[in-house]
Amino acid sequence: MADSSTQSIIIGASPERVAAVICDFARYPEWTEAVRRVEVVEEYEDGYASQVHFTIDAAVMADEYVLAYEYAEDLSRIEWHLVAPSKMQKSQRGSYDLVGNPDDGTTVTYTLEVELSVGMLGMFRRKAEKMIMDTALKQLKRRVEALGAAQ
């Protein structure tokens, strides 16, 4: 059974800038510590990725998998699911929800549900999920805000 976890962060950029970084899969290895390689396998007619192959190597886990993506028309929601089980995962579903704030920032809510192929005690799994989500959101914030400062 997969557990769902949700965390949020405020990023000092517009929802459009945040979505642009999230959707630029080819650059993930530049700013995400665990992602070693990314390949867009299929695209929609509008050029957005529909399937993406990831190779990750985190201290606790190495894996390769393909995620299928769907997007809200205004990119306020980007969601994905695991196409087929991988070495480490039976299933994965996730989403980013982007809400613009009055101060021109964006609240990003990250939801992730993973069912692992390997057994892991609930206490350790929850700690790993929190670490993965914290890291992902902090790295996204750092990347978006650094790109904004460079403009």
Side-chain angles (χ1 to χ4, degrees):
M1 185 77 177
D3 290 325
S4 182
S5 298
T6 300
Q7 288 188 34
S8 296
I9 196 166
I10 296 173
I11 297 178
S14 68
E16 294 79 18
R17 278 210 350 242
V18 175
V21 170
I22 293 170
C23 295
D24 190 0
F25 296 104
R27 296 198 182 274
Y28 275 35
E30 295 176 12
W31 59 273
T32 56
E33 294 169 11
V35 177
R36 298 293 174 245
R37 204 172 137 246
V38 177
E39 178 188 358
V40 174
V41 180
E42 290 181 16
E43 292 181 340
Y44 292 108
E45 288 181 14
D46 61 8
Y48 285 101
S50 63
Q51 290 197 7
V52 182
H53 180 267
F54 289 87
T55 302
I56 63 163
D57 189 0
V60 295
M61 181 174 93
D63 202 6
E64 288 189 46
Y65 53 89
V66 176
L67 298 179
Y69 283 84
E70 294 182 20
Y71 310 86
E73 193 170 317
D74 63 356
L75 297 180
S76 62
R77 182 174 179 84
I78 300 164
E79 57 187 33
W80 62 89
H81 68 272
L82 190 66
V83 172
S86 69
K87 179 177 74 172
M88 298 295 291
Q89 303 174 75
K90 289 183 183 177
S91 68
Q92 180 185 143
R93 291 196 162 286
S95 63
Y96 285 110
D97 288 291
L98 312 178
V99 177
N101 299 333
D103 65 355
D104 295 328
T106 301
T107 299
V108 179
T109 301
Y110 180 25
T111 302
L112 184 63
E113 179 181 298
V114 177
E115 185 176 3
L116 296 175
S117 300
V118 295
M120 186 181 283
L121 290 174
M123 176 179 68
F124 293 115
R125 188 181 67 243
R126 283 187 293 281
K127 187 173 182 175
E129 283 174 359
K130 181 177 179 357
M131 184 184 75
I132 289 165
M133 295 182 83
D134 280 349
T135 301
L137 286 171
K138 287 175 183 170
Q139 289 175 355
L140 176 63
K141 177 181 175 72
R142 188 167 45 244
R143 175 68 171 198
V144 172
E145 291 179 352
L147 289 175
Q151 291 179 347

mmCIF file of all heavy atoms in Angstrom, residues 62-100:
data_model
loop_
_atom_site.group_PDB
_atom_site.id
_atom_site.type_symbol
_atom_site.label_atom_id
_atom_site.label_comp_id
_atom_site.label_asym_id
_atom_site.label_seq_id
_atom_site.Cartn_x
_atom_site.Cartn_y
_atom_site.Cartn_z
ATOM 1 N N ALA A 62 19.208 3.664 -5.864
ATOM 2 C CA ALA A 62 19.509 3.919 -7.272
ATOM 3 C C ALA A 62 18.405 3.239 -8.076
ATOM 4 O O ALA A 62 17.974 2.136 -7.733
ATOM 5 C CB ALA A 62 20.873 3.358 -7.647
ATOM 6 N N ASP A 63 17.943 3.898 -9.134
ATOM 7 C CA ASP A 63 16.821 3.343 -9.891
ATOM 8 C C ASP A 63 16.757 3.995 -11.265
ATOM 9 O O ASP A 63 17.328 5.064 -11.488
ATOM 10 C CB ASP A 63 15.513 3.588 -9.134
ATOM 11 C CG ASP A 63 14.391 2.628 -9.517
ATOM 12 O OD1 ASP A 63 14.631 1.682 -10.297
ATOM 13 O OD2 ASP A 63 13.267 2.825 -9.021
ATOM 14 N N GLU A 64 16.065 3.327 -12.171
ATOM 15 C CA GLU A 64 15.719 3.867 -13.488
ATOM 16 C C GLU A 64 14.245 3.619 -13.688
ATOM 17 O O GLU A 64 13.758 2.527 -13.393
ATOM 18 C CB GLU A 64 16.506 3.174 -14.600
ATOM 19 C CG GLU A 64 17.951 3.548 -14.649
ATOM 20 C CD GLU A 64 18.637 3.015 -15.898
ATOM 21 O OE1 GLU A 64 18.058 3.159 -16.996
ATOM 22 O OE2 GLU A 64 19.734 2.460 -15.759
ATOM 23 N N TYR A 65 13.540 4.630 -14.194
ATOM 24 C CA TYR A 65 12.096 4.490 -14.379
ATOM 25 C C TYR A 65 11.595 5.526 -15.379
ATOM 26 O O TYR A 65 12.280 6.501 -15.683
ATOM 27 C CB TYR A 65 11.357 4.625 -13.042
ATOM 28 C CG TYR A 65 11.706 5.881 -12.277
ATOM 29 C CD1 TYR A 65 11.009 7.064 -12.473
ATOM 30 C CD2 TYR A 65 12.748 5.872 -11.348
ATOM 31 C CE1 TYR A 65 11.337 8.211 -11.769
ATOM 32 C CE2 TYR A 65 13.086 7.013 -10.642
ATOM 33 C CZ TYR A 65 12.367 8.175 -10.853
ATOM 34 O OH TYR A 65 12.697 9.305 -10.158
ATOM 35 N N VAL A 66 10.372 5.302 -15.869
ATOM 36 C CA VAL A 66 9.728 6.228 -16.799
ATOM 37 C C VAL A 66 8.461 6.756 -16.146
ATOM 38 O O VAL A 66 7.641 5.980 -15.641
ATOM 39 C CB VAL A 66 9.395 5.537 -18.146
ATOM 40 C CG1 VAL A 66 8.633 6.496 -19.059
ATOM 41 C CG2 VAL A 66 10.666 5.044 -18.826
ATOM 42 N N LEU A 67 8.318 8.081 -16.178
ATOM 43 C CA LEU A 67 7.109 8.727 -15.669
ATOM 44 C C LEU A 67 6.314 9.302 -16.828
ATOM 45 O O LEU A 67 6.898 9.842 -17.775
ATOM 46 C CB LEU A 67 7.469 9.868 -14.701
ATOM 47 C CG LEU A 67 8.226 9.481 -13.439
ATOM 48 C CD1 LEU A 67 8.533 10.726 -12.614
ATOM 49 C CD2 LEU A 67 7.441 8.469 -12.613
ATOM 50 N N ALA A 68 4.988 9.179 -16.740
ATOM 51 C CA ALA A 68 4.082 9.797 -17.713
ATOM 52 C C ALA A 68 3.518 11.064 -17.077
ATOM 53 O O ALA A 68 3.074 11.042 -15.924
ATOM 54 C CB ALA A 68 2.952 8.840 -18.079
ATOM 55 N N TYR A 69 3.538 12.173 -17.834
ATOM 56 C CA TYR A 69 3.129 13.479 -17.315
ATOM 57 C C TYR A 69 1.849 13.973 -17.968
ATOM 58 O O TYR A 69 1.602 13.722 -19.149
ATOM 59 C CB TYR A 69 4.234 14.514 -17.570
ATOM 60 C CG TYR A 69 5.380 14.379 -16.614
ATOM 61 C CD1 TYR A 69 6.407 13.478 -16.848
ATOM 62 C CD2 TYR A 69 5.417 15.141 -15.448
ATOM 63 C CE1 TYR A 69 7.456 13.331 -15.952
ATOM 64 C CE2 TYR A 69 6.467 15.001 -14.557
ATOM 65 C CZ TYR A 69 7.473 14.098 -14.807
ATOM 66 O OH TYR A 69 8.497 13.960 -13.921
ATOM 67 N N GLU A 70 1.081 14.716 -17.170
ATOM 68 C CA GLU A 70 -0.101 15.440 -17.653
ATOM 69 C C GLU A 70 -0.057 16.832 -17.044
ATOM 70 O O GLU A 70 0.451 17.015 -15.934
ATOM 71 C CB GLU A 70 -1.385 14.716 -17.254
ATOM 72 C CG GLU A 70 -1.527 13.362 -17.924
ATOM 73 C CD GLU A 70 -2.829 12.666 -17.549
ATOM 74 O OE1 GLU A 70 -3.768 13.350 -17.093
ATOM 75 O OE2 GLU A 70 -2.884 11.446 -17.704
ATOM 76 N N TYR A 71 -0.605 17.804 -17.771
ATOM 77 C CA TYR A 71 -0.504 19.202 -17.367
ATOM 78 C C TYR A 71 -1.869 19.872 -17.429
ATOM 79 O O TYR A 71 -2.615 19.663 -18.384
ATOM 80 C CB TYR A 71 0.425 19.964 -18.323
ATOM 81 C CG TYR A 71 1.753 19.283 -18.542
ATOM 82 C CD1 TYR A 71 1.908 18.291 -19.513
ATOM 83 C CD2 TYR A 71 2.849 19.621 -17.767
ATOM 84 C CE1 TYR A 71 3.130 17.661 -19.711
ATOM 85 C CE2 TYR A 71 4.079 18.992 -17.957
ATOM 86 C CZ TYR A 71 4.203 18.013 -18.929
ATOM 87 O OH TYR A 71 5.402 17.386 -19.120
ATOM 88 N N ALA A 72 -2.141 20.730 -16.439
ATOM 89 C CA ALA A 72 -3.302 21.612 -16.543
ATOM 90 C C ALA A 72 -3.014 22.597 -17.674
ATOM 91 O O ALA A 72 -1.851 22.920 -17.943
ATOM 92 C CB ALA A 72 -3.519 22.363 -15.232
ATOM 93 N N GLU A 73 -4.049 23.068 -18.327
ATOM 94 C CA GLU A 73 -3.856 23.967 -19.471
ATOM 95 C C GLU A 73 -3.013 25.185 -19.108
ATOM 96 O O GLU A 73 -2.174 25.626 -19.883
ATOM 97 C CB GLU A 73 -5.218 24.404 -20.024
ATOM 98 C CG GLU A 73 -5.114 25.061 -21.367
ATOM 99 C CD GLU A 73 -6.462 25.260 -22.018
ATOM 100 O OE1 GLU A 73 -7.291 24.339 -21.970
ATOM 101 O OE2 GLU A 73 -6.676 26.354 -22.567
ATOM 102 N N ASP A 74 -3.202 25.726 -17.890
ATOM 103 C CA ASP A 74 -2.436 26.900 -17.454
ATOM 104 C C ASP A 74 -1.181 26.527 -16.654
ATOM 105 O O ASP A 74 -0.539 27.394 -16.056
ATOM 106 C CB ASP A 74 -3.337 27.832 -16.624
ATOM 107 C CG ASP A 74 -3.830 27.182 -15.343
ATOM 108 O OD1 ASP A 74 -3.544 25.970 -15.106
ATOM 109 O OD2 ASP A 74 -4.515 27.871 -14.563
ATOM 110 N N LEU A 75 -0.846 25.235 -16.627
ATOM 111 C CA LEU A 75 0.314 24.696 -15.906
ATOM 112 C C LEU A 75 0.252 24.922 -14.394
ATOM 113 O O LEU A 75 1.271 24.881 -13.715
ATOM 114 C CB LEU A 75 1.634 25.233 -16.464
ATOM 115 C CG LEU A 75 1.942 24.872 -17.907
ATOM 116 C CD1 LEU A 75 3.272 25.478 -18.331
ATOM 117 C CD2 LEU A 75 1.964 23.367 -18.107
ATOM 118 N N SER A 76 -0.955 25.139 -13.866
ATOM 119 C CA SER A 76 -1.090 25.293 -12.420
ATOM 120 C C SER A 76 -0.991 23.943 -11.713
ATOM 121 O O SER A 76 -0.820 23.883 -10.495
ATOM 122 C CB SER A 76 -2.416 25.965 -12.070
ATOM 123 O OG SER A 76 -3.500 25.151 -12.512
ATOM 124 N N ARG A 77 -1.094 22.861 -12.475
ATOM 125 C CA ARG A 77 -0.929 21.508 -11.926
ATOM 126 C C ARG A 77 -0.150 20.672 -12.933
ATOM 127 O O ARG A 77 -0.493 20.621 -14.116
ATOM 128 C CB ARG A 77 -2.280 20.864 -11.635
ATOM 129 C CG ARG A 77 -2.159 19.467 -11.020
ATOM 130 C CD ARG A 77 -3.542 18.931 -10.622
ATOM 131 N NE ARG A 77 -3.475 17.613 -10.061
ATOM 132 C CZ ARG A 77 -3.214 17.316 -8.790
ATOM 133 N NH1 ARG A 77 -2.986 18.292 -7.934
ATOM 134 N NH2 ARG A 77 -3.186 16.075 -8.369
ATOM 135 N N ILE A 78 0.894 20.036 -12.436
ATOM 136 C CA ILE A 78 1.707 19.119 -13.238
ATOM 137 C C ILE A 78 1.697 17.810 -12.468
ATOM 138 O O ILE A 78 2.099 17.772 -11.298
ATOM 139 C CB ILE A 78 3.141 19.657 -13.410
ATOM 140 C CG1 ILE A 78 3.101 21.021 -14.112
ATOM 141 C CG2 ILE A 78 4.004 18.655 -14.166
ATOM 142 C CD1 ILE A 78 4.382 21.826 -14.007
ATOM 143 N N GLU A 79 1.193 16.756 -13.109
ATOM 144 C CA GLU A 79 1.107 15.484 -12.392
ATOM 145 C C GLU A 79 1.738 14.369 -13.199
ATOM 146 O O GLU A 79 1.914 14.493 -14.412
ATOM 147 C CB GLU A 79 -0.323 15.158 -12.009
ATOM 148 C CG GLU A 79 -1.299 15.103 -13.148
ATOM 149 C CD GLU A 79 -2.736 14.935 -12.675
ATOM 150 O OE1 GLU A 79 -3.090 15.442 -11.600
ATOM 151 O OE2 GLU A 79 -3.491 14.270 -13.395
ATOM 152 N N TRP A 80 2.093 13.286 -12.513
ATOM 153 C CA TRP A 80 2.776 12.179 -13.166
ATOM 154 C C TRP A 80 2.438 10.866 -12.484
ATOM 155 O O TRP A 80 1.955 10.845 -11.358
ATOM 156 C CB TRP A 80 4.291 12.394 -13.150
ATOM 157 C CG TRP A 80 4.880 12.451 -11.777
ATOM 158 C CD1 TRP A 80 5.342 11.403 -11.031
ATOM 159 C CD2 TRP A 80 5.057 13.619 -10.965
ATOM 160 N NE1 TRP A 80 5.802 11.850 -9.816
ATOM 161 C CE2 TRP A 80 5.636 13.197 -9.756
ATOM 162 C CE3 TRP A 80 4.787 14.969 -11.142
ATOM 163 C CZ2 TRP A 80 5.949 14.086 -8.726
ATOM 164 C CZ3 TRP A 80 5.099 15.849 -10.124
ATOM 165 C CH2 TRP A 80 5.673 15.403 -8.934
ATOM 166 N N HIS A 81 2.737 9.787 -13.206
ATOM 167 C CA HIS A 81 2.649 8.447 -12.630
ATOM 168 C C HIS A 81 3.683 7.548 -13.288
ATOM 169 O O HIS A 81 4.118 7.793 -14.412
ATOM 170 C CB HIS A 81 1.233 7.855 -12.769
ATOM 171 C CG HIS A 81 0.852 7.548 -14.186
ATOM 172 N ND1 HIS A 81 0.259 8.472 -15.011
ATOM 173 C CD2 HIS A 81 1.009 6.419 -14.928
ATOM 174 C CE1 HIS A 81 0.058 7.929 -16.199
ATOM 175 N NE2 HIS A 81 0.505 6.687 -16.182
ATOM 176 N N LEU A 82 4.077 6.522 -12.555
ATOM 177 C CA LEU A 82 5.041 5.545 -13.030
ATOM 178 C C LEU A 82 4.404 4.714 -14.137
ATOM 179 O O LEU A 82 3.305 4.189 -13.969
ATOM 180 C CB LEU A 82 5.466 4.651 -11.860
ATOM 181 C CG LEU A 82 6.638 3.707 -12.058
ATOM 182 C CD1 LEU A 82 7.932 4.482 -12.263
ATOM 183 C CD2 LEU A 82 6.768 2.783 -10.846
ATOM 184 N N VAL A 83 5.088 4.599 -15.282
ATOM 185 C CA VAL A 83 4.547 3.866 -16.429
ATOM 186 C C VAL A 83 4.547 2.361 -16.161
ATOM 187 O O VAL A 83 3.576 1.675 -16.458
ATOM 188 C CB VAL A 83 5.345 4.195 -17.711
ATOM 189 C CG1 VAL A 83 4.941 3.303 -18.868
ATOM 190 C CG2 VAL A 83 5.158 5.670 -18.076
ATOM 191 N N ALA A 84 5.640 1.843 -15.607
ATOM 192 C CA ALA A 84 5.762 0.413 -15.309
ATOM 193 C C ALA A 84 6.628 0.256 -14.067
ATOM 194 O O ALA A 84 7.471 1.112 -13.795
ATOM 195 C CB ALA A 84 6.390 -0.317 -16.496
ATOM 196 N N PRO A 85 6.436 -0.797 -13.304
ATOM 197 C CA PRO A 85 7.279 -0.988 -12.119
ATOM 198 C C PRO A 85 8.766 -0.971 -12.473
ATOM 199 O O PRO A 85 9.163 -1.374 -13.568
ATOM 200 C CB PRO A 85 6.857 -2.372 -11.611
ATOM 201 C CG PRO A 85 5.463 -2.551 -12.120
ATOM 202 C CD PRO A 85 5.445 -1.863 -13.464
ATOM 203 N N SER A 86 9.561 -0.475 -11.540
ATOM 204 C CA SER A 86 11.013 -0.420 -11.722
ATOM 205 C C SER A 86 11.666 -1.352 -10.705
ATOM 206 O O SER A 86 10.978 -2.069 -9.971
ATOM 207 C CB SER A 86 11.504 1.014 -11.521
ATOM 208 O OG SER A 86 11.366 1.379 -10.152
ATOM 209 N N LYS A 87 12.972 -1.324 -10.651
ATOM 210 C CA LYS A 87 13.706 -2.155 -9.696
ATOM 211 C C LYS A 87 13.297 -1.825 -8.253
ATOM 212 O O LYS A 87 13.180 -2.721 -7.424
ATOM 213 C CB LYS A 87 15.206 -1.920 -9.901
ATOM 214 C CG LYS A 87 16.100 -2.710 -8.956
ATOM 215 C CD LYS A 87 17.566 -2.485 -9.269
ATOM 216 C CE LYS A 87 17.972 -1.115 -8.798
ATOM 217 N NZ LYS A 87 19.405 -0.852 -8.883
ATOM 218 N N MET A 88 13.056 -0.549 -7.961
ATOM 219 C CA MET A 88 12.789 -0.118 -6.590
ATOM 220 C C MET A 88 11.333 0.262 -6.308
ATOM 221 O O MET A 88 10.946 0.359 -5.158
ATOM 222 C CB MET A 88 13.671 1.091 -6.248
ATOM 223 C CG MET A 88 15.162 0.812 -6.291
ATOM 224 S SD MET A 88 15.718 -0.361 -5.059
ATOM 225 C CE MET A 88 15.506 0.561 -3.568
ATOM 226 N N GLN A 89 10.534 0.522 -7.366
ATOM 227 C CA GLN A 89 9.190 1.038 -7.158
ATOM 228 C C GLN A 89 8.123 0.175 -7.841
ATOM 229 O O GLN A 89 8.272 -0.181 -8.989
ATOM 230 C CB GLN A 89 9.068 2.444 -7.738
ATOM 231 C CG GLN A 89 10.052 3.437 -7.175
ATOM 232 C CD GLN A 89 9.961 4.762 -7.904
ATOM 233 O OE1 GLN A 89 9.020 5.510 -7.684
ATOM 234 N NE2 GLN A 89 10.914 5.023 -8.775
ATOM 235 N N LYS A 90 7.047 -0.087 -7.094
ATOM 236 C CA LYS A 90 5.872 -0.737 -7.688
ATOM 237 C C LYS A 90 4.985 0.320 -8.351
ATOM 238 O O LYS A 90 4.402 0.090 -9.394
ATOM 239 C CB LYS A 90 5.064 -1.474 -6.624
ATOM 240 C CG LYS A 90 5.717 -2.715 -6.093
ATOM 241 C CD LYS A 90 4.795 -3.392 -5.097
ATOM 242 C CE LYS A 90 5.452 -4.615 -4.491
ATOM 243 N NZ LYS A 90 4.586 -5.219 -3.471
ATOM 244 N N SER A 91 4.884 1.466 -7.694
ATOM 245 C CA SER A 91 4.062 2.550 -8.237
ATOM 246 C C SER A 91 4.569 3.884 -7.718
ATOM 247 O O SER A 91 5.236 3.955 -6.684
ATOM 248 C CB SER A 91 2.584 2.369 -7.857
ATOM 249 O OG SER A 91 2.410 2.540 -6.465
ATOM 250 N N GLN A 92 4.245 4.942 -8.467
ATOM 251 C CA GLN A 92 4.552 6.313 -8.054
ATOM 252 C C GLN A 92 3.530 7.228 -8.698
ATOM 253 O O GLN A 92 3.241 7.109 -9.880
ATOM 254 C CB GLN A 92 5.953 6.740 -8.504
ATOM 255 C CG GLN A 92 6.287 8.164 -8.083
ATOM 256 C CD GLN A 92 7.616 8.685 -8.607
ATOM 257 O OE1 GLN A 92 7.703 9.856 -8.944
ATOM 258 N NE2 GLN A 92 8.635 7.844 -8.701
ATOM 259 N N ARG A 93 2.958 8.091 -7.912
ATOM 260 C CA ARG A 93 2.073 9.148 -8.399
ATOM 261 C C ARG A 93 2.500 10.420 -7.701
ATOM 262 O O ARG A 93 2.852 10.402 -6.528
ATOM 263 C CB ARG A 93 0.605 8.886 -8.043
ATOM 264 C CG ARG A 93 -0.011 7.748 -8.775
ATOM 265 C CD ARG A 93 -1.537 7.791 -8.669
ATOM 266 N NE ARG A 93 -2.127 6.969 -9.694
ATOM 267 C CZ ARG A 93 -2.200 7.253 -10.986
ATOM 268 N NH1 ARG A 93 -1.704 8.375 -11.419
ATOM 269 N NH2 ARG A 93 -2.757 6.439 -11.845
ATOM 270 N N GLY A 94 2.469 11.514 -8.433
ATOM 271 C CA GLY A 94 2.850 12.767 -7.806
ATOM 272 C C GLY A 94 2.284 13.951 -8.549
ATOM 273 O O GLY A 94 1.746 13.813 -9.655
ATOM 274 N N SER A 95 2.414 15.110 -7.917
ATOM 275 C CA SER A 95 1.953 16.340 -8.561
ATOM 276 C C SER A 95 2.619 17.548 -7.925
ATOM 277 O O SER A 95 3.047 17.516 -6.767
ATOM 278 C CB SER A 95 0.429 16.489 -8.449
ATOM 279 O OG SER A 95 0.047 16.600 -7.089
ATOM 280 N N TYR A 96 2.714 18.593 -8.735
ATOM 281 C CA TYR A 96 3.045 19.930 -8.264
ATOM 282 C C TYR A 96 1.816 20.782 -8.521
ATOM 283 O O TYR A 96 1.302 20.796 -9.642
ATOM 284 C CB TYR A 96 4.209 20.539 -9.058
ATOM 285 C CG TYR A 96 5.572 20.001 -8.739
ATOM 286 C CD1 TYR A 96 6.249 19.209 -9.658
ATOM 287 C CD2 TYR A 96 6.214 20.324 -7.544
ATOM 288 C CE1 TYR A 96 7.526 18.733 -9.383
ATOM 289 C CE2 TYR A 96 7.492 19.847 -7.267
ATOM 290 C CZ TYR A 96 8.138 19.057 -8.195
ATOM 291 O OH TYR A 96 9.396 18.597 -7.927
ATOM 292 N N ASP A 97 1.341 21.475 -7.493
ATOM 293 C CA ASP A 97 0.263 22.452 -7.649
ATOM 294 C C ASP A 97 0.875 23.818 -7.406
ATOM 295 O O ASP A 97 1.520 24.044 -6.372
ATOM 296 C CB ASP A 97 -0.873 22.172 -6.668
ATOM 297 C CG ASP A 97 -1.642 20.926 -7.064
ATOM 298 O OD1 ASP A 97 -2.323 20.970 -8.098
ATOM 299 O OD2 ASP A 97 -1.549 19.903 -6.352
ATOM 300 N N LEU A 98 0.686 24.735 -8.368
ATOM 301 C CA LEU A 98 1.293 26.062 -8.320
ATOM 302 C C LEU A 98 0.200 27.109 -8.148
ATOM 303 O O LEU A 98 -0.708 27.201 -8.969
ATOM 304 C CB LEU A 98 2.062 26.341 -9.614
ATOM 305 C CG LEU A 98 3.009 25.234 -10.095
ATOM 306 C CD1 LEU A 98 3.664 25.633 -11.411
ATOM 307 C CD2 LEU A 98 4.050 24.921 -9.050
ATOM 308 N N VAL A 99 0.314 27.912 -7.091
ATOM 309 C CA VAL A 99 -0.671 28.960 -6.820
ATOM 310 C C VAL A 99 0.064 30.279 -6.672
ATOM 311 O O VAL A 99 0.939 30.419 -5.800
ATOM 312 C CB VAL A 99 -1.483 28.652 -5.540
ATOM 313 C CG1 VAL A 99 -2.459 29.788 -5.231
ATOM 314 C CG2 VAL A 99 -2.224 27.325 -5.673
ATOM 315 N N GLY A 100 -0.286 31.241 -7.518
ATOM 316 C CA GLY A 100 0.323 32.560 -7.435
ATOM 317 C C GLY A 100 -0.097 33.284 -6.173
ATOM 318 O O GLY A 100 -1.257 33.199 -5.757
#
